[in-house]
Amino acid sequence: MSHSWKPDQYPSLSPYIVASDAKRLIAFLENAFDGVVTRQFNMPDGSVNHAEVRVDDSLVMLGQAGGEWEPVSNYMHLYVEDVDTSYKRALEAGAVSVQEPIQKEGDSDKRCGVKDQDGNTWWIASQQGPK
């Protein structure tokens, strides 16, 4: 469905992350979640002014902290096909564990949490069915 008020293939809502190291965050998204850079605009010094990374059906927008734009850590929630594999890949991409994958009683999701090098916490889940 095409809307004249937003670009095709863009969700209506996208998180925007002001990162202490935007290039490192882009690499994390690529390596941990198969993110694909769809647009990137760099500053004359080579730092990332603005980038857009597609992760499945979502778009993460981000830019390099600097000047009046200070880095801010965020909490994100991401559904994936295989939470265990995504957790392992996120750790291999430089994240630290916040919570190992677990399905709690009464929760239809198996979920875990990781914190990337910029301090963003990613809650990762796969629906498993009732427990």
Side-chain angles (χ1 to χ4, degrees):
M1 176 184 223
S2 179
H3 301 286
S4 60
W5 44 267
K6 68 176 185 140
D8 286 341
Q9 304 302 310
Y10 275 61
S12 294
L13 177 67
S14 296
Y16 200 103
I17 301 173
V18 178
S20 61
D21 188 333
K23 288 182 179 181
R24 179 178 63 197
L25 181 56
I26 290 168
F28 174 76
L29 293 170
E30 290 172 328
N31 293 319
F33 306 127
D34 291 327
V36 175
V37 176
T38 58
R39 295 184 358 162
Q40 184 170 330
F41 305 101
N42 291 337
M43 299 293 287
D45 68 0
S47 63
V48 177
N49 182 42
H50 174 82
E52 299 174 2
V53 182
R54 183 161 298 284
V55 177
D56 193 35
D57 62 352
S58 300
L59 195 68
V60 178
M61 297 185 182
L62 62 107
Q64 178 68 44
E68 66 184 276
W69 303 107
E70 296 188 20
V72 177
S73 59
N74 300 278
Y75 287 83
M76 308 289 177
H77 188 276
L78 175 64
Y79 276 106
V80 296
E81 187 174 345
D82 182 342
V83 67
D84 296 298
T85 298
S86 292
Y87 174 76
K88 181 180 175 190
R89 287 183 61 195
L91 296 179
E92 289 170 353
V96 296
S97 179
V98 173
Q99 175 184 294
E100 292 185 9
I102 186 171
Q103 184 177 4
K104 295 180 181 178
E105 187 68 36
D107 191 351
S108 61
D109 291 349
K110 183 176 184 180
R111 69 183 73 247
C112 65
V114 300
K115 187 176 283 193
D116 69 29
Q117 300 96 321
D118 276 274
N120 300 297
T121 301
W122 299 84
W123 293 102
I124 308 165
S126 293
Q127 196 153 68
Q128 307 289 307
K131 179 174 182 180

